[in-house]
Amino acid sequence: MGFTRDELMSYVDATVPDLIGDDADGSRLRLLFVGINPGLWTAATQTHFAHPGNRFYPALFAAGIIEREIDRGVGMTTQDQAYFVGRGLGISNIAHRATAKASSLTADELRAGGEQLR
């Protein structure tokens, strides 16, 4: 899977929902990963830390935090998401607006996002 620059740029300002389980489904959050904000590949695939070169999921696999690989280039399947939250893992961002660079975020966005996380 790949995207052209124009395709990726169409995801500027898109949002990606948090990936956090619900105690009602038996998935108690034990470890929350927090990014700065979604990148454009993340917005396009609706998968946090998505990009073929991102080392996030391979590092989780190598550390034994997850026991199967997740293809970050194409995005998480529904089964991948259920597996991830079922392990007590979650992902959020300080700011929820997708950008090509985190430097595109305003100080106000970062402060507000920090308060929301708190």
Side-chain angles (χ1 to χ4, degrees), residues 10-77:
S10 74
Y11 288 96
V12 169
D13 296 333
T15 59
V16 178
D18 290 341
L19 180 59
I20 299 173
D22 179 347
D23 284 341
D25 67 11
S27 56
R28 176 166 291 219
L29 181 65
R30 297 178 9 205
L31 180 59
L32 179 65
F33 297 97
V34 179
I36 297 171
N37 74 306
L40 301 180
W41 198 289
T42 290
T45 62
Q46 291 292 291
T47 298
H48 295 273
F49 301 108
H51 187 277
N54 193 305
R55 298 181 196 144
F56 179 73
Y57 295 106
L60 294 182
F61 179 72
I65 295 171
I66 57 176
E67 296 173 343
R68 66 182 212 212
E69 295 193 44
I70 293 173
D71 187 346
R72 67 232 184 245
V74 299
M76 282 187 167
T77 64

Side-chain angles (χ1 to χ4, degrees), residues 81-101:
Q81 291 174 349
Y83 169 76
F84 196 84
V85 299
R87 298 208 35 101
L89 306 172
I91 305 175
S92 186
N93 286 290
I94 296 171
H96 295 280
R97 180 172 70 91
T99 61
K101 296 179 181 181

